[in-house]
Amino acid sequence: MQFGIDKIDFYTPNQCLDLVALAHARQVDPNKYLIGIGQKQMAVAPLDQDIVSMAANAAAQLLTPLDQAALGLLIVGTESGVDQSKASALFVHDLLDLHPNMRTLEIKEACYGATAGLQLALDFVRQHPTQKALVIASDIARYGLNSPGEVTQGAGAVAMLVSAEPQILALEEQSVYASQSTWDFWRPNYSTESFAQGKYSEEVYLSMFADLWQQASAQKLTQVDELAALLFHIPFSKMGRKALRTLETKIQPQAYQRLTKRFEASIQYGQIVGNIYTGSLYLSLISLLENDMNLQAGERIGLFSYGSGSEAELFFGTLQPDFKSQLKSAAHQALLANRTSLTMSEYEEQFKQSLVTDGSKQVVDVSDVAVRHRLTGIKGHQRQYQ
Ligand code: HMG
């Protein structure tokens, strides 16, 4: 029996910032952002889209009544949690109107959190093959106005249904993983913005990738002649490109060419959504599946997950016979194409908005009447959703 990703969907808010406009405002050559960083736009979350509402919006179209009945586990991976105690997954459980007899929890380890959730979910369905698990990655990347990381912000959520006999990607049990404590990127409890030692974070990312690639090769997991694509956690597309380039001298030219071509398809969505932390690797997967028309069932792909702080995993899966029928390419392309492009002043004004923290009541404006789930406000320190 095989286990893996049965269905996948994503949500990103209906507004974005053009990075050429950001470059002009920050008096930077636009090519630094477009080529040097490799990003074109970034999603901007309005106040009524937090990680709970985005997670619920990503999962809203995913589950049939039969899937819902089979759910035994719900995990939200996030590093933008809204409460120190109550799991965001419980808010999502309520918004999706799920049955009560399941385990519901939140996982944090920077951008690795959803991969940890996915691996737990796989173990769960291997133990309980008649049940299913819902794993959602949801995050808002915030570095601050005028910061070096500003151009790498973004917002969005990816929802994945994990089951036996999956329709999209069967994942292998054997993978390689590693952990070490680093100060490459972090966000203390008192800060709404992340801190990063940017160049150092790139070094740690690359060294963990090199290490895991070597371990995987030693265990004969990579077999690049057979690997159809290699997906990366994409904080910005240049980061994944740098990791891929390290393989140029290690693998056959033909295999490197194939991985490079597939890489271009995998970054298309991320380049206009930005870093969505836990969801970035899985947005790369959706982007590859929906933008590379030559992908075939039976092809094997590798996935490199990296979370600052730091933890990484390299794992592998095989595309399933029916994977194309499960894609929602038209809906995703419409979601991305119909976003409102913010002016710099609108973006900066929204960036400074926040929810009250003194227990008073606040009603939050509606940013998008068409969206199913949103934060409506806060009352007595409790977030209110619709
Ligand atoms: P910076 O100091 O502004 O950038 O910060 P730079 O001056 O080094 O320039 C960036 C690149 O643009 C360079 O290329 C320049 O040469 C090039 P590179 O040497 O890197 O190949 N460049 C140009 N190219 C074309 N035309 C031009 C031009 N000018 C310059 N005119 C940095 C960049 C990424 C460090 C910053 O944005 C940052 O701190 N970002 C946040 C941290 C980050 O994303 N780190 C990535 C690895 S850690 C990770 O992935 C985990 C994370 O997702 C969090 C989590 O796990 O939760 C972040």
Side-chain angles (χ1 to χ4, degrees):
M1 195 176 264
Q2 306 201 81
F3 301 91
I5 300 171
D6 189 50
K7 295 181 182 176
I8 192 164
D9 203 351
F10 85 92
Y11 171 78
T12 187
N14 72 337
Q15 47 177 32
C16 61
L17 184 70
D18 188 279
L19 296 181
V20 173
L22 180 68
H24 287 143
R26 302 294 178 244
Q27 298 181 327
V28 166
D29 178 351
N31 281 338
K32 174 173 174 180
Y33 291 172
L34 298 173
I35 301 166
I37 297 288
Q39 293 295 110
K40 298 175 184 166
Q41 295 168 340
M42 64 187 192
V44 179
L47 202 54
D48 71 342
Q49 285 302 327
D50 66 5
I51 58 118
V52 168
S53 62
M54 290 196 302
N57 285 324
Q61 310 284 345
L62 202 69
L63 307 174
T64 62
L66 279 178
D67 294 329
Q68 292 213 12
L71 275 188
L73 177 67
L74 166 60
I75 297 178
V76 172
T78 187
E79 53 182 297
S80 327
V82 297
D83 194 284
Q84 295 282 23
S85 298
K86 184 173 171 178
S88 51
L90 284 164
F91 296 91
V92 175
H93 181 277
D94 185 40
L95 287 175
L96 297 179
D97 202 15
L98 300 178
H99 72 78
N101 300 113
M102 69 182 72
R103 297 182 180 129
T104 302
L105 58 127
E106 177 175 314
I107 292 187
K108 178 181 69 186
E109 188 347 74
C111 300
Y112 177 75
T115 301
L118 179 60
Q119 294 296 350
L120 270 183
L122 286 165
D123 287 345
F124 176 81
V125 294
R126 283 183 192 117
Q127 288 285 319
H128 310 277
T130 58
Q131 294 189 51
K132 300 186 181 194
L134 178 60
V135 178
I136 312 178
S138 188
D139 270 303
I140 298 174
R142 270 174 74 90
Y143 290 89
L145 302 177
N146 274 300
S147 66
E150 183 178 27
V151 62
T152 68
Q153 297 176 137
V158 175
M160 296 177 274
L161 185 66
V162 178
S163 74
E165 307 303 0
Q167 296 176 88
I168 296 181
L169 188 67
L171 289 164
E172 295 165 20
E173 207 165 341
Q174 202 179 344
S175 68
V176 286
Y177 39 82
S179 305
Q180 59 179 346
S181 178
T182 59
W183 285 103
D184 64 326
F185 166 102
W186 66 105
R187 184 168 69 82
N189 286 345
Y190 51 77
S191 177
T192 53
E193 279 91 52
S194 303
F195 296 92
Q197 302 203 60
K199 288 289 157 196
Y200 175 57
S201 72
E202 293 188 49
E203 283 167 27
V204 183
Y205 179 117
L206 291 175
S207 84
M208 289 192 91
F209 173 65
D211 183 35
L212 292 188
W213 182 264
Q214 201 207 345
Q215 286 187 40
S217 301
Q219 293 176 35
K220 306 221 179 316
L221 289 175
T222 49
Q223 295 165 343
V224 283
D225 290 342
E226 292 167 23
L227 216 51
L230 183 56
L231 300 173
F232 293 90
H233 163 57
I234 300 286
F236 51 94
S237 73
K238 181 72 160 293
M239 187 71 250
R241 197 179 291 285
K242 282 184 188 179
L244 182 58
R245 276 184 191 152
T246 64
L247 298 183
E248 191 168 4
T249 51
K250 293 185 187 158
I251 64 177
Q252 294 299 322
Q254 216 181 350
Y256 182 70
Q257 245 176 22
R258 182 176 60 247
L259 296 188
T260 304
K261 195 164 154 278
R262 260 56 202 264
F263 175 80
E264 297 305 331
S266 77
I267 59 175
Q268 287 189 27
Y269 289 166
Q271 280 186 311
I272 56 174
V273 169
N275 193 355
I276 56 168
Y277 290 157
T278 46
S280 291
L281 171 63
Y282 303 99
L283 187 60
S284 304
L285 172 62
I286 298 174
S287 185
L288 174 75
L289 299 181
E290 295 184 1
N291 292 303
D292 189 318
M293 297 309 131
N294 297 319
L295 269 186
Q296 297 298 328
E299 287 191 312
R300 189 167 171 264
I301 62 176
L303 299 95
F304 175 67
S305 177
Y306 175 78
S308 284
S310 298
E311 195 154 342
E313 181 154 354
L314 182 56
F315 57 110
F316 302 89
T318 302
L319 289 170
Q320 295 302 288
D322 226 12
F323 81 93
K324 287 191 181 165
S325 71
Q326 294 307 313
L327 305 179
K328 300 178 172 175
S329 317
H332 292 156
Q333 277 150 21
L335 175 74
L336 292 166
N338 296 333
R339 295 180 299 169
T340 302
S341 187
L342 298 178
T343 63
M344 272 306 293
S345 54
E346 286 167 336
Y347 153 67
E348 293 198 343
E349 193 187 314
Q350 286 195 21
F351 191 92
K352 291 173 192 156
Q353 288 173 350
S354 59
L355 294 173
V356 295
T357 55
D358 60 1
S360 60
K361 187 176 169 189
Q362 180 182 5
V363 176
V364 173
D365 291 340
V366 180
S367 66
D368 182 358
V369 285
V371 79
R372 191 178 295 205
H373 299 292
R374 52 181 291 271
L375 175 79
T376 56
I378 187 161
K379 194 167 71 179
H381 297 291
Q382 294 177 6
R383 285 178 186 239
Q384 313 289 313
Y385 293 97
Q386 163 189 299

